[in-house]
Amino acid sequence: MGNGVSGKCGNITLTAQWTVNTYTITFELNGGVLNNAPTEYDADTKVTLPTPSKEGETFAGWYDNESFSGTAVTQITNGSTGDKTLYAKWTLNTYPIKWYVNGEELPGAATTVAHGNKITTIPEVDLNTYCEGSDVLAGWIAAPMENASVAAPANLYKTIEDFPIVEGPQTYYAVFANYKE
């Protein structure tokens, strides 16, 4: 009659059927790399967000906005709904640069340089302290030598322009040459 059920008399079993809503996850990597990342989720599932990588930079978190304001997002919690776009924030790595003279670290000369940049200053070496006789500082090399007072090796850095772009921690060793007039 007015209930929309007609036909047989007696008990009726009704079974509800539904599908779980799924939502997309989009990762804006800003130059980074991310493998095996989830691409969707549902309200019943907690998703721990993966960590991407980027050469020369350190991952500083996922954010739900392009300006990286607020708190970093580490997971999508149970009960969440809606498509999500997450933005990777990066911090440029800096690396230590150390300078050695005659097997000892040159006091006060250690510096840091950001990834992808060049060294901007070469430390001064007091020849009266570190050299004998008519030795002069010929330049710097990236690997220690048995005898730091030799003819100039092929990979000698003499001027600031000679040094390579920094892509990790660097250590340089003074090379002296005997100067004769």
Side-chain angles (χ1 to χ4, degrees):
M1 297 202 150
N3 62 11
V5 178
S6 61
K8 298 181 180 180
C9 294
N11 294 336
I12 298 174
T13 302
L14 300 174
T15 304
Q17 296 182 356
W18 65 86
T19 57
V20 175
N21 290 332
T22 58
Y23 306 98
T24 61
I25 306 171
T26 303
F27 294 99
E28 295 294 337
L29 296 170
N30 297 321
V33 176
L34 182 60
N35 296 316
N36 303 318
T39 57
E40 57 185 33
Y41 76 99
D42 62 60
D44 295 329
T45 305
K46 173 181 147 184
V47 178
T48 300
L49 300 176
T51 302
S53 61
K54 184 177 183 181
E55 183 179 342
E57 300 193 31
T58 299
F59 179 63
W62 291 112
Y63 287 80
D64 60 6
N65 61 82
E66 292 179 76
S67 61
F68 310 115
S69 62
T71 304
V73 178
T74 59
Q75 65 182 353
I76 299 173
T77 58
N78 288 353
S80 295
T81 59
D83 295 341
K84 307 283 183 194
T85 299
L86 300 168
Y87 300 86
K89 181 177 180 180
W90 300 99
T91 303
L92 188 62
N93 292 342
T94 58
Y95 304 109
I97 309 298
K98 294 182 179 181
W99 306 87
Y100 282 79
V101 177
N102 295 338
E104 296 179 11
E105 189 171 353
L106 188 60
T111 60
T112 58
V113 176
H115 180 88
N117 290 304
K118 290 188 80 167
I119 292 168
T120 57
T121 59
I122 301 172
E124 295 283 328
V125 175
D126 180 4
L127 297 179
N128 293 324
T129 302
Y130 293 103
C131 299
E132 294 181 14
S134 59
D135 282 351
V136 295
L137 179 65
W140 300 88
I141 58 171
M145 296 173 56
E146 288 291 320
N147 181 353
S149 183
V150 297
N155 58 346
L156 185 69
Y157 306 121
K158 295 179 184 178
T159 67
I160 201 73
E161 292 81 21
D162 295 336
F163 285 85
I165 291 175
V166 175
E167 295 180 344
Q170 302 288 311
T171 302
Y172 293 102
Y173 301 86
V175 175
F176 297 98
N178 192 278
Y179 176 73
K180 297 189 190 225
E181 292 187 33

